[in-house]
Structure formats: C-alpha cells, structure tokens
Amino acid sequence: MAETKTTVTAATAKASSHQPTKSSNLFAALAVPICLVIGFLFFFFVLGNPANFQGNNPDGHPIDSGIGKWFGTVYKGGLVVPVLISVLLVCLTFVIERFLYLSKAKGKFSGSELVRKVQYHLANKNVDAALAECDKQKGSVGNVLKAGLKKYKEMVTNSELDTDQKILTIKNEIEETTALELPMMEKNLVFLSTIASVATLLGLFGTVLGMIKAFSAMSSGGAPDSAQLALGISEALINTALGIGTSAIAIIMYNFFTTNIDSITYAIDESGFTLTQSFAANHK
C-alpha cells in the first residue's frame, strides 16, 4: 500500500512539473486582447494620423509621396483593417513564442546525437554517464530519455520482476513522459491554425464591404462618383491583401512548427526503442 502511494505521488509530481505554468496560461489569455488594443491604436493614431492625408484631413485622399501615402492608403481600407492588423499581431506573437519554446525543446544538440551518446554509454554499462548526457542536452528528448534511464537504473537492481516485465516498465515510463512532453510542444498552435482560416475570411469580409461601396458609387444617380468608386475598390484590395498575407504567414509557420515537432517526436521514439533494446541486450 505504501509503495502504491509513493508511485502515485511520484506520478503526480512528474505531471505537475510538465503542466503549463500560470504565467504561460496568462500570456496566452492576455495576448489576444493586448494585440487587439495595439491594432486599433495603430490604425487610428498612426495610419489615421492627419499628416498622412492631403489638407490634414483623414476624410480626404492620402498624400502623394512618402510612407504617409502608404499609411493613408491602408487607413482607407476601413474598420476591418484594424481587426486584420490585430490578427496579424496575434499571429506574430505566437510565432515568436512557439519558435522560442521549440528552440529550447530541441536542446543544446540534436536528439539523434543524444541517442548515439546514450547508446554508447549503455553499451559500456555506464548509466550515470548517459544521464549526464541528458542533462547536457536540456531538451524534450533529453527529458524523456532521462526519465527512462532513471527507471532503467532502477530495474537493473530490481530482483522481483523478470526481464520482460522490466522492459515493459521502462517502456511505460517513456510513454508516460512522452505523453506529458507532447502537449507542451503543441501548445498554442491552435491559434495559428485558427488564424490561417479566419484571416482569409476577414479579408474576404472586408473585400465584400469595399465592393458594396464601389457599386453604390456606380449606382448613384448621374455620373459615377469616381472618388467613392476608387475608395471602395481600394478598401476591397487592402483587406484582401492583409487577409491573404496574414493567412499565408500562419499556414507557413504552422507547417514549420509541426514539422519540427514531428522531428522531435521521432527522436523521442528512437530514444525509447534504443533504451529498451539496450536493456534487453545487457540483461538477458
């Protein structure tokens, strides 16, 4: 009974050490509203700066040259533009956050290199040296291998279980640790996958609004209002460009991160196979 309680306590402690921290969850919760505020402030006070328009009038045409021309043109895209800017900022925020985390998860050197070093030390029956290599790697592969090696070391001195049971125990330990590592690597990728589709829809929505303005100008009595017609088409195209551009960034980075996660996962699987095979070979 005491042994079971100890095992449960150890498992709980391990799970707790891999759970997202409160600061990480707070970051995810605050990122979206903060980006929305920044997006709208940028739209009204930077893009909508009167200096970007002829006669210092935001209702007029953008100035003819300089960066103010581009700012004024984007401002004319309408109220969907600040939403798209906010979505772009959210996208970039989580791209940077995932890039930093996955760079850390890869460790100081590659997982395949760590597996080779551990395999060498296990062949020489030096488990402590293998554990030291995991500490040096400091990545997800190192974390999984370290947990497996600790159980490996424990099984070496275990006289109650047979070899097959020991191998199964090591394998279960590796699978449990892997199950705790993977969610941390995939955390927040849902933002990028959502933005990949939502940004395009928002761009399309802004395009439709712009075209409505353009056709309204054409359908007005008398000669079409060329200024309103141009404004409507401009709004449509600006929203299209922002929506497609944001969506493209989200798709590219989502695929980049999932490819990196697959690579780490493969190294973890390889490490688990190596560990169990080494135990089987050294303790027949």
Side-chain angles (χ1 to χ4, degrees), residues 1-272:
M1 185 70 181
E3 183 179 351
T4 303
K5 186 176 180 180
T6 303
T7 304
V8 172
T9 303
T12 304
K14 185 190 299 182
S16 299
S17 66
H18 285 81
Q19 289 300 315
T21 61
K22 288 184 178 180
S23 59
S24 175
N25 290 330
L26 185 62
F27 169 80
L30 292 178
V32 174
I34 288 175
C35 288
L36 278 170
V37 170
I38 293 174
F40 276 87
L41 289 175
F42 183 80
F43 177 77
F44 287 110
F45 295 103
V46 178
L47 300 182
N49 189 326
N52 298 329
F53 302 91
Q54 296 177 6
N56 289 327
N57 181 12
D59 293 329
H61 293 287
I63 57 178
D64 295 327
S65 61
I67 193 170
K69 174 184 178 180
W70 298 103
F71 281 177
T73 301
V74 175
Y75 179 79
K76 289 298 182 181
L79 285 177
V80 178
V81 171
V83 178
L84 284 167
I85 291 174
S86 301
V87 171
L88 176 60
L89 290 174
V90 172
C91 178
L92 294 176
T93 298
F94 285 106
V95 163
I96 294 170
E97 186 269 338
R98 282 295 87 191
F99 181 80
L100 293 175
Y101 183 86
L102 290 177
S103 296
K104 182 180 178 181
K106 286 181 180 179
K108 300 294 183 181
F109 49 89
S110 70
S112 56
E113 183 180 348
L114 174 63
V115 171
R116 287 195 299 271
K117 290 181 178 181
V118 168
Q119 198 169 23
Y120 170 79
H121 290 305
L122 291 180
N124 293 305
K125 298 184 178 181
N126 192 345
V127 181
D128 290 332
L131 283 167
E133 293 294 345
C134 294
D135 289 332
K136 291 178 185 176
Q137 203 263 349
K138 295 182 179 179
S140 291
V141 180
N143 292 339
V144 174
L145 255 180
K146 185 176 181 180
L149 284 168
K150 286 181 177 179
K151 188 61 67 175
Y152 182 109
K153 191 175 182 180
E154 182 184 326
M155 290 299 104
V156 170
T157 58
N158 189 301
S159 58
E160 298 178 0
L161 303 176
D162 59 32
T163 301
D164 289 338
Q165 290 174 321
K166 291 178 180 179
I167 292 174
L168 182 60
T169 301
I170 295 171
K171 187 181 296 186
N172 288 339
E173 181 72 12
I174 292 169
E175 289 175 354
E176 181 184 339
T177 310
T178 302
L180 294 169
E181 285 287 338
L182 286 180
M184 292 302 297
M185 289 190 285
E186 295 172 351
K187 181 178 169 63
N188 293 334
L189 285 183
V190 65
F191 285 95
L192 296 183
S193 63
T194 303
I195 288 170
S197 56
V198 169
T200 305
L201 294 175
L202 284 172
L204 180 60
F205 177 67
T207 300
V208 171
L209 293 181
M211 294 309 295
I212 289 172
K213 287 185 179 180
F215 283 109
S216 294
M218 292 179 65
S219 65
S220 60
D225 187 337
S226 58
Q228 288 298 317
L229 179 61
L231 181 63
I233 295 174
S234 173
E235 180 174 337
L237 296 179
I238 288 167
N239 284 284
T240 300
L242 279 173
I244 292 175
T246 302
S247 180
I249 293 172
I251 291 171
I252 291 170
M253 296 312 299
Y254 178 85
N255 290 334
F256 172 77
F257 291 140
T258 52
T259 300
N260 276 268
I261 291 171
D262 289 343
S263 157
I264 296 172
T265 303
Y266 175 80
I268 289 174
D269 292 340
E270 184 185 7
S271 69

